[in-house]
Amino acid sequence: MLLQIKNMTHYFGGLRAVHEYNLGIDPGQIIGLIGPNGAGKTTIFNLITGIYQPTEGTIHLEGRNIVGLQSHRIAAAGLGRTFQNLCLWRHMTVLEHIKMARYSRITYGLIGAFFCTMKRQMEEAAAEEKAFELMEMVGIAQFAGQMVLNLPYGAQRRVELARALATEPKVLFLDEPTAGMNPEELIQMMEIIRIMHKKLNLAIFLIEHRLKMVMELCERIQTLVFGEIIAEGTPDQIQNNSKVIEAYLGKETMET
């Protein structure tokens, strides 16, 4: 198993935010995590990627326990992510964003940086080539030299996606990648996710409120309510699960 989480629990002071969370992701799988606002979905992402350290439980990536590692070391180990709210450097170009993410794979060191060694020149050229390849994949190559702040919102979302891919993740965490997008942009993003999944054979862990997207992309879905998984299964099983329907529509609505 590529990523395995067992009995992960987390408290913020006296508040239990996540309770005995379990997850297993194999290479190439797309797993969805859904639930009402405030259920704890992004907290789970933050726990796995090192922003918070779980109070209890284990997280293993390719058999290695990553609990307690700093976020940049977890990213270098193979967990890439995007964020619910855009986290971009607004006065950098699109190309600079993606090349910056490649530096987790750079090996030329301080001496190479100061003296512009051949190794540095080769790695910088490879980083730029890879950046353009990723920009082509997500459809933003035409914006390479533009400042991110001048891009349409949907294109900024793609920049963040390409930046995450530039770290060469084994598992890609997508936190509401279509938040704020119009229907046309939603369809485009779904197609981009399909393309990168196929080309890169990525495992993907997806948080998304738009159930149409989750149902079409994911082979397995978890439903989280108040920090606990109340249902897990295929899209068909989740759509017809009474606990899931109640969590989204409310018990009173179901009874009327």
Side-chain angles (χ1 to χ4, degrees):
M1 191 165 289
L2 182 56
L3 178 66
Q4 188 168 43
I5 300 160
K6 290 186 176 180
N7 301 320
M8 185 174 72
T9 297
H10 189 66
Y11 289 85
F12 291 109
L15 175 66
R16 190 181 69 191
V18 177
H19 180 57
E20 294 187 353
Y21 177 75
N22 295 282
L23 174 70
I25 300 180
D26 290 320
Q29 277 193 311
I30 304 181
I31 308 298
L33 181 63
I34 64 173
N37 287 328
K41 301 183 296 297
T42 296
T43 298
I44 284 175
F45 267 32
N46 290 339
L47 288 166
I48 300 170
T49 57
I51 294 177
Y52 307 136
Q53 183 171 332
T55 308
E56 302 171 9
T58 61
I59 305 170
H60 286 87
L61 178 64
E62 295 184 314
R64 177 190 180 191
N65 187 6
I66 60 173
V67 172
L69 294 184
Q70 294 177 304
S71 293
H72 69 279
R73 297 198 179 278
I74 293 175
L79 290 187
R81 74 169 293 182
T82 65
F83 294 83
Q84 185 175 350
N85 299 312
L86 280 171
C87 292
L88 298 173
W89 300 292
R90 294 176 62 79
H91 295 283
M92 290 175 63
T93 67
V94 172
L95 177 60
E96 287 169 343
H97 267 84
I98 300 166
K99 284 185 67 177
M100 180 72 73
R102 291 292 301 167
Y103 288 138
S104 64
R105 302 296 174 189
I106 290 294
T107 62
Y108 56 70
L110 193 60
I111 292 176
F114 272 113
F115 295 103
C116 195
T117 62
M118 182 61 68
K119 184 176 183 180
R120 180 199 174 204
Q121 294 176 49
M122 291 174 63
E123 290 194 355
E124 288 287 341
E128 185 159 322
E129 182 180 352
K130 183 66 174 180
F132 272 100
E133 179 186 318
L134 293 173
M135 286 188 288
E136 288 283 355
M137 186 183 299
V138 302
I140 54 171
Q142 69 273 28
F143 301 128
Q146 293 192 31
M147 296 292 180
V148 167
L149 63 86
N150 295 327
L151 267 57
Y153 177 78
Q156 290 185 28
R157 278 283 178 188
R158 296 188 197 187
V159 173
E160 189 181 39
L161 181 57
R163 184 180 64 184
L165 291 173
T167 65
E168 297 184 8
K170 299 179 178 73
V171 187
L172 180 62
F173 285 39
L174 300 177
D175 193 349
E176 296 191 34
T178 65
M181 289 186 177
N182 61 43
E184 182 179 349
E185 291 170 331
L186 167 65
I187 293 170
Q188 292 172 348
M189 180 59 78
M190 288 177 64
E191 186 58 28
I192 288 169
I193 292 172
R194 288 189 179 102
I195 290 170
M196 70 185 194
H197 175 249
K198 182 178 180 180
K199 285 189 175 181
L200 304 176
N201 193 32
L202 275 177
I204 296 174
F205 191 24
L206 170 69
I207 292 175
E208 184 53 61
H209 279 293
R210 303 196 194 204
L211 295 184
K212 168 183 169 60
M213 179 177 180
V214 179
M215 297 300 170
E216 288 192 20
L217 290 177
C218 299
E219 56 193 89
R220 197 170 90 246
I221 300 168
Q222 296 180 322
T223 304
L224 189 76
V225 175
F226 297 122
E228 294 189 56
I229 296 298
I230 62 167
E232 181 170 356
T234 65
D236 284 342
Q237 290 170 335
I238 293 298
Q239 287 183 85
N240 295 295
N241 187 291
S242 59
K243 291 182 179 179
V244 176
I245 295 170
E246 181 180 332
Y248 275 92
L249 299 180
K251 188 174 182 179
E252 290 182 2
T253 304
M254 291 177 64
E255 292 175 346
T256 57

